[in-house]
Amino acid sequence: MNITINGQRHEVSEGTSVAGALESFGTPARGVAVALDGAVVPRDSWQRTTLHEDATVEVLTAVQGG
């Protein structure tokens, strides 16, 4: 099935979780936040939150600044 991650289309297997998608695309497991279709997905839900056809995933990286 097709999903969008940070504006780019990707193909993933049916039943892929948020955690699985992040791992597949080499996203670090720490220092990021994830939104699925505009709603934040808590880190402890990544394994059990499955993606659907045309899901939109935004991965945000924490950046320190001053």
Side-chain angles (χ1 to χ4, degrees), residues 33-46:
V34 175
L36 173 60
D37 296 328
V40 173
V41 179
R43 183 178 304 277
D44 63 356
S45 298
W46 289 3

Side-chain angles (χ1 to χ4, degrees), residues 14-27:
E14 186 98 14
T16 298
S17 68
V18 168
L22 295 178
E23 186 176 312
S24 293
F25 297 108
T27 304

Side-chain angles (χ1 to χ4, degrees), residues 1-3 10-16 50-54:
M1 72 183 170
N2 291 303
I3 64 170
H10 296 278
E11 190 168 326
V12 296
S13 300
E14 186 98 14
T16 298
T50 56
L51 301 174
H52 57 83
E53 181 71 31
D54 294 324

